[in-house]
mmCIF file with all atom_site columns, all heavy atoms in Angstrom:
data_model
loop_
_atom_site.group_PDB
_atom_site.id
_atom_site.type_symbol
_atom_site.label_atom_id
_atom_site.label_alt_id
_atom_site.label_comp_id
_atom_site.label_asym_id
_atom_site.label_entity_id
_atom_site.label_seq_id
_atom_site.pdbx_PDB_ins_code
_atom_site.Cartn_x
_atom_site.Cartn_y
_atom_site.Cartn_z
_atom_site.occupancy
_atom_site.B_iso_or_equiv
_atom_site.pdbx_formal_charge
_atom_site.auth_seq_id
_atom_site.auth_comp_id
_atom_site.auth_asym_id
_atom_site.auth_atom_id
_atom_site.pdbx_PDB_model_num
ATOM 1  N N   . THR B 1 65 ? -10.118 26.858 -15.830 1.00 96.00 ? 65 THR B N   1
ATOM 2  C CA  . THR B 1 65 ? -9.587  27.858 -16.749 1.00 96.00 ? 65 THR B CA  1
ATOM 3  C C   . THR B 1 65 ? -8.509  28.653 -16.034 1.00 96.00 ? 65 THR B C   1
ATOM 4  O O   . THR B 1 65 ? -8.483  28.736 -14.795 1.00 96.00 ? 65 THR B O   1
ATOM 5  C CB  . THR B 1 65 ? -10.685 28.794 -17.260 1.00 96.00 ? 65 THR B CB  1
ATOM 6  O OG1 . THR B 1 65 ? -11.233 29.520 -16.146 1.00 96.00 ? 65 THR B OG1 1
ATOM 7  C CG2 . THR B 1 65 ? -11.781 28.026 -17.967 1.00 96.00 ? 65 THR B CG2 1
ATOM 8  N N   . PHE B 1 66 ? -7.624  29.260 -16.832 1.00 94.00 ? 66 PHE B N   1
ATOM 9  C CA  . PHE B 1 66 ? -6.500  29.997 -16.263 1.00 94.00 ? 66 PHE B CA  1
ATOM 10 C C   . PHE B 1 66 ? -6.288  31.229 -17.137 1.00 94.00 ? 66 PHE B C   1
ATOM 11 O O   . PHE B 1 66 ? -5.974  31.107 -18.316 1.00 94.00 ? 66 PHE B O   1
ATOM 12 C CB  . PHE B 1 66 ? -5.255  29.103 -16.276 1.00 94.00 ? 66 PHE B CB  1
ATOM 13 C CG  . PHE B 1 66 ? -4.090  29.599 -15.469 1.00 94.00 ? 66 PHE B CG  1
ATOM 14 C CD1 . PHE B 1 66 ? -4.194  30.659 -14.588 1.00 94.00 ? 66 PHE B CD1 1
ATOM 15 C CD2 . PHE B 1 66 ? -2.853  28.971 -15.586 1.00 94.00 ? 66 PHE B CD2 1
ATOM 16 C CE1 . PHE B 1 66 ? -3.108  31.087 -13.844 1.00 94.00 ? 66 PHE B CE1 1
ATOM 17 C CE2 . PHE B 1 66 ? -1.764  29.391 -14.847 1.00 94.00 ? 66 PHE B CE2 1
ATOM 18 C CZ  . PHE B 1 66 ? -1.879  30.444 -13.977 1.00 94.00 ? 66 PHE B CZ  1
ATOM 19 N N   . ASP B 1 67 ? -6.496  32.399 -16.569 1.00 92.00 ? 67 ASP B N   1
ATOM 20 C CA  . ASP B 1 67 ? -6.323  33.655 -17.304 1.00 92.00 ? 67 ASP B CA  1
ATOM 21 C C   . ASP B 1 67 ? -5.189  34.436 -16.634 1.00 92.00 ? 67 ASP B C   1
ATOM 22 O O   . ASP B 1 67 ? -5.384  35.018 -15.563 1.00 92.00 ? 67 ASP B O   1
ATOM 23 C CB  . ASP B 1 67 ? -7.621  34.456 -17.275 1.00 92.00 ? 67 ASP B CB  1
ATOM 24 C CG  . ASP B 1 67 ? -7.589  35.669 -18.192 1.00 92.00 ? 67 ASP B CG  1
ATOM 25 O OD1 . ASP B 1 67 ? -6.508  36.286 -18.323 1.00 92.00 ? 67 ASP B OD1 1
ATOM 26 O OD2 . ASP B 1 67 ? -8.625  36.005 -18.768 1.00 92.00 ? 67 ASP B OD2 1
ATOM 27 N N   . THR B 1 68 ? -4.002  34.425 -17.251 1.00 90.00 ? 68 THR B N   1
ATOM 28 C CA  . THR B 1 68 ? -2.840  35.078 -16.637 1.00 90.00 ? 68 THR B CA  1
ATOM 29 C C   . THR B 1 68 ? -2.937  36.604 -16.725 1.00 90.00 ? 68 THR B C   1
ATOM 30 O O   . THR B 1 68 ? -2.251  37.287 -15.971 1.00 90.00 ? 68 THR B O   1
ATOM 31 C CB  . THR B 1 68 ? -1.541  34.604 -17.288 1.00 90.00 ? 68 THR B CB  1
ATOM 32 O OG1 . THR B 1 68 ? -1.625  34.787 -18.701 1.00 90.00 ? 68 THR B OG1 1
ATOM 33 C CG2 . THR B 1 68 ? -1.279  33.140 -16.987 1.00 90.00 ? 68 THR B CG2 1
ATOM 34 N N   . THR B 1 69 ? -3.799  37.102 -17.623 1.00 92.00 ? 69 THR B N   1
ATOM 35 C CA  . THR B 1 69 ? -3.992  38.560 -17.695 1.00 92.00 ? 69 THR B CA  1
ATOM 36 C C   . THR B 1 69 ? -4.834  39.030 -16.521 1.00 92.00 ? 69 THR B C   1
ATOM 37 O O   . THR B 1 69 ? -4.508  40.013 -15.854 1.00 92.00 ? 69 THR B O   1
ATOM 38 C CB  . THR B 1 69 ? -4.678  38.948 -19.015 1.00 92.00 ? 69 THR B CB  1
ATOM 39 O OG1 . THR B 1 69 ? -3.876  38.478 -20.096 1.00 92.00 ? 69 THR B OG1 1
ATOM 40 C CG2 . THR B 1 69 ? -4.850  40.455 -19.116 1.00 92.00 ? 69 THR B CG2 1
ATOM 41 N N   . LEU B 1 70 ? -5.920  38.311 -16.255 1.00 93.00 ? 70 LEU B N   1
ATOM 42 C CA  . LEU B 1 70 ? -6.768  38.627 -15.101 1.00 93.00 ? 70 LEU B CA  1
ATOM 43 C C   . LEU B 1 70 ? -6.182  38.122 -13.802 1.00 93.00 ? 70 LEU B C   1
ATOM 44 O O   . LEU B 1 70 ? -6.658  38.483 -12.722 1.00 93.00 ? 70 LEU B O   1
ATOM 45 C CB  . LEU B 1 70 ? -8.157  38.010 -15.290 1.00 93.00 ? 70 LEU B CB  1
ATOM 46 C CG  . LEU B 1 70 ? -9.039  38.586 -16.395 1.00 93.00 ? 70 LEU B CG  1
ATOM 47 C CD1 . LEU B 1 70 ? -10.355 37.827 -16.461 1.00 93.00 ? 70 LEU B CD1 1
ATOM 48 C CD2 . LEU B 1 70 ? -9.297  40.069 -16.161 1.00 93.00 ? 70 LEU B CD2 1
#
Side-chain angles (χ1 to χ4, degrees):
Chain B
T65 63
F66 192 11
D67 189 325
T68 54
T69 302
L70 292 178

